[in-house]
Amino acid sequence: VRGSWRFSIFLAEVVGRQHQVVKKTMVTMMLHYKFALGVATLALLFFVHCPTSSAAKSYADGSAAACDGGDDTCRPDSSSSTGESKCLHPSDFQHRVASFFDDASDSILTSLRGTVDKVISNEDAKELVELLPLSDFVESSGYETENKDRAQYTAPVAYAGLGLKELSTSNEERYTKLLQIREKIRSATESSLNLCPGSLKIDYTTITQKTEGGAHRAHADNCVHYFDDKTKAAVCDPSRQHPYPKRVAASILYLNDPTDGNFNGGEFYFANRTHFGEVENSGRVAVETGKMIYFTSGVENLHGALKVERGG
């Protein structure tokens, strides 16, 4: 998710020396130091494929946008990769998400989120990180969401991103590696949500770097939300237009861990849709290289990231 960020970079000196903080203005002079300390992730946001004959529709409750019938590429009688159940047609997927708001069932929610270990190997993650040019990371303009007092906030400091446009230029090896990893994430997300093959299309790709102090408040990816004063539940604000209301799902892949990133904290978390978005008791996801978190994009899966602390 984009944010408005200041970018503080920590670069390692030669082996045996202490780590030092390097100001942003010095980065271009230090390009041979490839690795910034902190949490590195690759994030993808998705929409579902709807043919031109079908009308896409969004739901006011912030649940995923999907195809409203029609000749979708994914048909109801397609089999899932496991063969144990039928894969979901995009419209059926929409109904599953919407059904959560009828009874807030835990069983439904667990089908709309989860984690997958070792989507890529440690070696592949390390190779990608080492190919990243620190000077290309940029401050990103964020889109707003709401806290319990309905006050606007933006993404915090120490958080920067590298988009597909930047990644597609100047280094063919890096771009090829990224596309291979990106397809693994897309396919794993599709399978994990039991969507038929080819249903998910990539809307946005970014590699993010959260350094010391970087965090992210709980938010949804397809609507601007607030917490109802009576129910204490997160709901989408129909009076405020989110820039990407058709996003249906997202995945975040950890590219490093505290050992090779020299940090503590920074964990992804799911926030309780009620009680003003408190971190769920079992909602924290440990930072482990190659672990992917996937989830649907609405208020049923409010999510954020805990503060990154400097490692010892």
Side-chain angles (χ1 to χ4, degrees):
V1 178
R2 300 178 181 178
S4 179
W5 305 316
R6 291 199 303 260
F7 190 25
S8 301
I9 298 178
F10 300 91
L11 299 174
E13 290 186 344
V14 293
V15 176
R17 296 183 182 180
Q18 292 183 336
H19 294 291
Q20 61 178 349
V21 177
V22 181
K23 294 182 180 178
K24 182 179 179 181
T25 53
M26 296 175 61
V27 170
T28 55
M29 301 169 59
M30 305 288 288
L31 291 180
H32 57 286
Y33 293 121
K34 292 288 188 181
F35 194 69
L37 305 182
V39 182
T41 61
L42 172 56
L44 300 183
L45 294 108
F46 305 97
F47 62 95
V48 291
H49 173 68
C50 292
T52 55
S53 60
S54 298
K57 65 179 180 180
S58 301
Y59 284 72
D61 59 13
S63 56
C67 299
D68 186 17
D71 296 325
D72 300 285
T73 299
C74 176
R75 289 179 168 78
D77 59 352
S78 299
S79 297
S80 69
S81 57
T82 63
E84 295 178 355
S85 61
K86 303 288 181 67
C87 65
L88 291 175
H89 178 278
S91 295
D92 293 334
F93 178 68
Q94 174 63 67
H95 294 319
R96 174 185 284 183
V97 176
S99 68
F100 169 77
F101 296 92
D102 294 332
D103 59 14
S105 167
D106 288 342
S107 63
I108 295 175
L109 187 60
T110 56
S111 72
L112 304 178
R113 63 164 69 165
T115 63
V116 181
D117 292 332
K118 297 302 179 185
V119 171
I120 64 172
S121 67
N122 288 7
E123 292 74 20
D124 281 344
K126 182 178 180 180
E127 181 180 348
L128 179 60
V129 170
E130 289 179 346
L131 289 170
L132 298 178
L134 297 180
S135 60
D136 286 357
F137 277 84
V138 295
E139 297 178 0
S140 301
S141 59
Y143 54 79
E144 59 192 27
T145 184
E146 306 246 337
N147 64 13
K148 66 180 181 180
D149 296 319
R150 304 190 184 188
Q152 176 181 331
Y153 73 89
T154 57
V157 299
Y159 199 138
L162 187 60
L164 190 63
K165 181 179 179 181
E166 295 82 12
L167 289 164
S168 66
T169 59
S170 76
N171 190 316
E172 184 177 352
E173 179 186 5
R174 179 184 69 205
Y175 187 57
T176 300
K177 172 63 68 175
L178 171 67
L179 292 183
Q180 291 171 346
I181 293 175
R182 191 174 77 148
E183 177 55 25
K184 288 183 179 180
I185 297 171
R186 192 202 65 79
S187 179
T189 304
E190 207 169 56
S191 175
S192 297
L193 291 172
N194 199 30
L195 277 162
C196 298
S199 297
L200 286 182
K201 306 299 178 183
I202 298 171
D203 178 46
Y204 182 66
T205 303
T206 184
I207 293 179
T208 64
Q209 182 75 43
K210 293 195 298 293
T211 51
E212 185 175 6
H216 212 153
R217 293 190 184 185
H219 60 280
D221 285 340
N222 64 9
C223 79
V224 180
H225 78 276
Y226 68 94
F227 290 96
D228 184 88
D229 292 332
K230 294 182 178 180
T231 65
K232 299 183 180 180
V235 294
C236 289
D237 187 343
S239 69
R240 305 181 67 182
Q241 180 64 43
H242 190 280
Y244 308 105
K246 293 183 180 180
R247 287 177 174 169
V248 302
S251 291
I252 295 175
L253 179 74
Y254 288 131
L255 295 175
N256 66 347
D257 60 31
T259 300
D260 53 29
N262 194 31
F263 63 88
N264 294 313
E267 299 97 336
F268 174 97
Y269 68 86
F270 288 109
N272 197 317
R273 182 176 169 245
T274 59
H275 299 93
F276 299 122
E278 295 176 354
V279 179
E280 293 181 1
N281 292 334
S282 59
R284 300 187 186 196
V285 181
V287 183
E288 299 174 6
T289 302
K291 181 187 287 291
M292 183 189 82
I293 308 108
Y294 65 89
F295 48 94
T296 53
S297 297
V299 292
E300 69 278 2
N301 277 319
L302 296 179
H303 59 280
L306 299 175
K307 185 177 179 181
V308 177
E309 310 262 349
R310 182 71 186 273

